[in-house]
Amino acid sequence: MCKAPANTDFNRVSFIKRLLMTSQRSKQFLLKTLGQRIKNLRKEKNMSQYVVAKKCNMDFGSYSNIENGKRNVTVFTLQRIIKVLKVPFRELFNF
């Protein structure tokens, strides 16, 4: 864990900004990695994005954004996706 620097206001603000940037980068990395995993599983099943989106009752754009790591996804949406792809939940996070 990061240790906060000396007690000046400038250092606190700088520290908080760096911490938030790291959190944002981590979030983006996780979304991209998860999206790539979903994409790989879909391709293994020889399914198109359109077919998976339709079976998940989602619009194509939303599904595409998930695979591209541009959209945060709920657990419930993940549940629908893995049901369509017929993979166990733990398999989704095997990266």
Side-chain angles (χ1 to χ4, degrees):
M1 183 75 190
C2 298
K3 184 177 178 184
N7 263 346
T8 67
D9 286 338
F10 177 78
N11 283 341
R12 275 193 224 144
V13 170
S14 177
F15 174 74
I16 290 169
K17 283 182 181 179
R18 282 190 314 232
L19 191 60
L20 290 174
M21 284 176 34
T22 302
S23 296
Q24 186 63 25
R25 285 186 194 131
S26 296
K27 179 181 173 184
Q28 288 172 344
F29 175 77
L30 179 59
L31 290 175
K32 284 188 181 284
T33 305
L34 180 60
Q36 187 63 49
R37 180 71 178 138
I38 292 169
K39 184 178 193 173
N40 291 340
L41 290 168
R42 174 183 58 79
K43 286 185 173 187
E44 286 175 14
K45 304 291 182 173
N46 294 315
M47 298 175 79
S48 69
Q49 285 184 328
Y50 179 79
V51 168
V52 175
K54 187 167 179 93
K55 288 185 176 189
C56 288
N57 199 25
M58 297 175 67
D59 64 272
F60 173 78
S62 294
Y63 181 79
S64 178
N65 283 338
I66 290 170
E67 279 196 4
N68 291 312
K70 295 179 181 176
R71 181 170 183 239
N72 202 349
V73 60
T74 67
V75 173
F76 301 108
T77 301
L78 288 176
Q79 185 178 24
R80 291 189 312 207
I81 292 170
I82 64 170
K83 185 176 180 182
V84 168
L85 296 177
K86 297 179 181 167
V87 295
F89 198 82
R90 67 181 176 279
E91 175 99 11
L92 186 61
F93 292 96
N94 191 14
F95 53 81

